[in-house]
């Protein structure tokens, strides 16, 4: 039964670190969509360009 408890600990640690990764990734994506460095194209920018050419 010692192995079972060890697996529970590993599983809990993995779930916690995975949760932190997901939060960090969502924050990263939100930051990237707000501020794009020059030369990088975001799909939101493409939508705006299409709207401008249609006017």
């Amino acid at each position: 039964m010692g192995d079972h408890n060890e697996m529970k600990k590993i599983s809990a640690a993995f779930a916690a670190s995975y949760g932190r990764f997901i939060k960090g990734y969502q924050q990263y994506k939100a930051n990237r969509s707000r501020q794009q460095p020059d030369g990088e194209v975001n799909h939101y920018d493409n939508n705006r360009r299409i709207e401008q050419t249609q006017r």
Side-chain angles (χ1 to χ4, degrees):
M1 276 302 183
D3 288 344
H4 183 69
N5 288 337
E6 193 65 28
M7 285 299 286
K8 275 187 176 178
K9 286 179 190 173
I10 291 169
S11 180
F14 172 79
S17 64
Y18 185 73
R20 284 194 303 271
F21 165 77
I22 292 297
K23 282 183 187 170
Y25 181 68
Q26 287 171 341
Q27 195 173 16
Y28 161 77
K29 280 195 70 157
N31 288 339
R32 267 182 61 88
S33 67
R34 268 187 254 130
Q35 45 186 310
Q36 283 289 322
D38 289 338
E40 218 167 319
V41 178
N42 193 351
H43 63 275
Y44 298 115
D45 295 338
N46 286 339
N47 288 341
R48 280 193 214 113
R49 284 196 191 114
I50 291 167
E51 287 173 12
Q52 288 170 357
T53 56
Q54 289 174 346
R55 285 183 194 153

